[in-house]
Amino acid sequence: MLTPASARMLADYKRWANRETFAIVMALPSEEIYKDRVSLFKNFARSLNHTYVVDRIWQAHIEGREHGMAALNTVTHPDIADLWAAQQEIDAWYIAWAAAQTETSLAREKDYALIGGNTGRMSQGEILLHVVNHNSYHRGFVSDLLTQISAPRPSVDLPVYKRKLVENATRP
């Protein structure tokens, strides 16, 4: 279903979109980052922490090990700078992982158990697609929080990413 080239592009897109999003959030005053608002995960730091936790959970499923997370809202990095460092590490892991994939490995199915107890089986390519979609979904919550305080929102749609790739490739 997912080609190795598509897997590499999606992992890089995820890293790029996270970098754009974190740059805007980290430029906010600290009190804005941690202030509770009307949103699923209440503030910027916890919203971004949730995507990080889910990235780690699915990394563990790919690697065939326990993830050790008790809840989807587990706060692993209360400080936004620490969270950003950790997010960069997991994004780099997904990029390196995607770079090593073949059509056969992307089609390889993995069993998983969700925190709520549900179990299932998906191909590694489907897992990557889920992780990228999940990140995109929750960046929408972050954008909503930015709208609540009249802050600029990141423009992180896939066509924007693709256009920036072309622009960067044509620069001397």
Side-chain angles (χ1 to χ4, degrees):
M1 177 171 116
L2 196 63
T3 67
S6 294
R8 289 188 301 274
M9 183 271 301
L10 287 170
D12 189 59
Y13 162 71
K14 175 184 171 314
R15 174 180 59 182
W16 170 82
N18 283 333
R19 184 174 40 225
E20 296 291 310
T21 302
F22 269 89
I24 288 175
V25 170
M26 291 178 65
L28 296 172
S30 181
E31 62 271 7
E32 293 293 345
I33 295 171
Y34 303 102
K35 180 179 179 181
D36 283 353
R37 294 185 169 76
V38 178
S39 186
L40 180 60
F41 291 100
K42 306 295 183 205
N43 66 40
F44 292 103
R46 279 185 284 202
S47 294
L48 292 168
N49 194 94
H50 167 73
T51 60
Y52 171 77
V53 165
V54 171
D55 284 356
R56 292 296 307 269
I57 289 170
W58 287 100
Q59 175 195 37
H61 292 317
I62 289 170
E63 291 179 336
R65 61 177 173 79
E66 293 295 318
H67 53 72
M69 300 292 178
L72 292 172
N73 62 351
T74 300
V75 176
T76 58
H77 297 83
D79 179 74
I80 195 73
D82 292 341
L83 178 59
W84 173 226
Q87 186 64 58
Q88 289 176 85
E89 288 177 15
I90 193 72
D91 286 346
W93 183 89
Y94 275 102
I95 286 170
W97 176 84
Q101 298 312 299
T102 64
E103 288 188 20
T104 301
S105 65
L106 288 168
R108 187 173 300 125
E109 293 197 339
K110 295 284 188 168
D111 293 319
Y112 62 87
L114 301 177
I115 288 175
N118 291 329
T119 60
R121 187 171 181 84
M122 288 195 316
S123 74
Q124 292 190 127
E126 291 168 333
I127 289 171
L128 177 63
L129 189 56
H130 168 65
V131 167
V132 172
N133 281 338
H134 179 266
N135 271 240
S136 294
Y137 177 74
H138 284 284
R139 278 192 301 272
F141 282 88
V142 171
S143 289
D144 179 62
L145 289 170
L146 289 165
T147 300
Q148 291 180 32
I149 61 171
S150 299
R153 294 183 318 269
S155 181
V156 291
D157 288 335
L158 187 62
V160 177
Y161 161 79
K162 297 291 283 185
R163 185 181 71 241
K164 296 226 181 233
L165 281 181
V166 171
E167 289 171 359
N168 291 337
T170 58
R171 286 191 185 144

